[in-house]
Amino acid sequence: MRVFSVLTLATALLGSVSALTVPVKRWDIDSLDLLEAREPANPIKFSKGAKEHLTNLGLAKGSAERKEVKEYHRNIVAAKMAEHGAHSAQVVHLAHTVGSADPRLHVTTGLWDKDNKRIKSTFGDPPKSGHLHHAYGDPAAVNPTYAAHVHAAGKTLRRRSYHWE
């Protein structure tokens, strides 16, 4: 009986403590709230993973080289935004061909309309629908700073089977 009363007391205490917790707001996957608002004037943001990738490539936060590489990616994404009438975007994966079924150099990005709704993509044959878009870059015009940092990290932007450098 004593064990039962201790369990009852413990349950009551834990219940009262859990009632005091602050509710956690769940973010909708289609919301721009997923993005960090450090650059409010710029409609093209970078996901946490893309920012980590920049850091892992040796591009220090706030450095001129990092800003240059981010601007290179924003220019690629801006063309895709114009094509779809997007109001804002998020860079999910930096420019690449390796690790993707798509052999063309592209930036993987999410696009949102003026009402903050995700713009879906259509791809493949037969057509499929998804949340991410490929914004294509010119393989002959890869930003030299970005390419140098990718190669210094022992990585490559391009598929070896195409013999690109």
Side-chain angles (χ1 to χ4, degrees):
M1 186 71 171
R2 189 173 216 181
V3 173
F4 180 72
S5 62
V6 171
L7 288 174
T8 305
L9 178 64
T11 304
L13 286 174
L14 289 174
S16 65
V17 169
S18 67
L20 298 175
T21 59
V22 177
V24 177
K25 183 176 181 182
R26 291 189 53 170
W27 300 106
D28 181 49
I29 193 164
D30 289 337
S31 173
L32 279 177
D33 292 331
L34 289 169
L35 308 176
E36 294 184 29
R38 293 188 180 168
E39 303 167 62
N42 200 317
I44 303 173
K45 310 289 188 210
F46 285 75
S47 70
K48 182 178 177 183
K51 289 178 184 179
E52 287 175 1
H53 192 184
L54 289 167
T55 302
N56 292 341
L57 289 175
L59 295 160
K61 291 180 181 177
S63 70
E65 287 184 324
R66 185 180 181 114
K67 289 177 184 176
E68 177 185 339
V69 170
K70 285 175 83 173
E71 191 60 30
Y72 163 70
H73 285 85
R74 283 187 174 117
N75 289 336
I76 293 172
V77 172
K80 188 71 169 181
M81 287 175 66
E83 179 183 326
H84 288 279
H87 181 69
S88 56
Q90 178 184 35
V91 173
V92 177
H93 297 292
L94 303 179
H96 64 285
T97 62
V98 178
S100 176
D102 190 342
R104 296 177 289 174
L105 181 71
H106 62 274
V107 176
T108 306
T109 183
L111 301 176
W112 285 263
D113 66 15
K114 63 179 173 54
D115 296 323
N116 202 23
K117 299 290 182 200
R118 179 73 68 104
I119 298 172
K120 293 192 176 187
S121 63
T122 303
F123 58 93
D125 187 23
K128 299 176 190 173
S129 180
H131 288 290
L132 298 176
H133 298 259
H134 287 179
Y136 296 104
D138 181 358
V142 173
N143 178 279
T145 303
Y146 178 56
H149 279 273
V150 168
H151 292 297
K155 309 279 185 197
T156 181
L157 291 173
R158 301 174 175 108
R159 295 174 184 262
R160 297 186 197 284
S161 62
Y162 288 100
H163 304 291
W164 294 343
E165 287 300 318

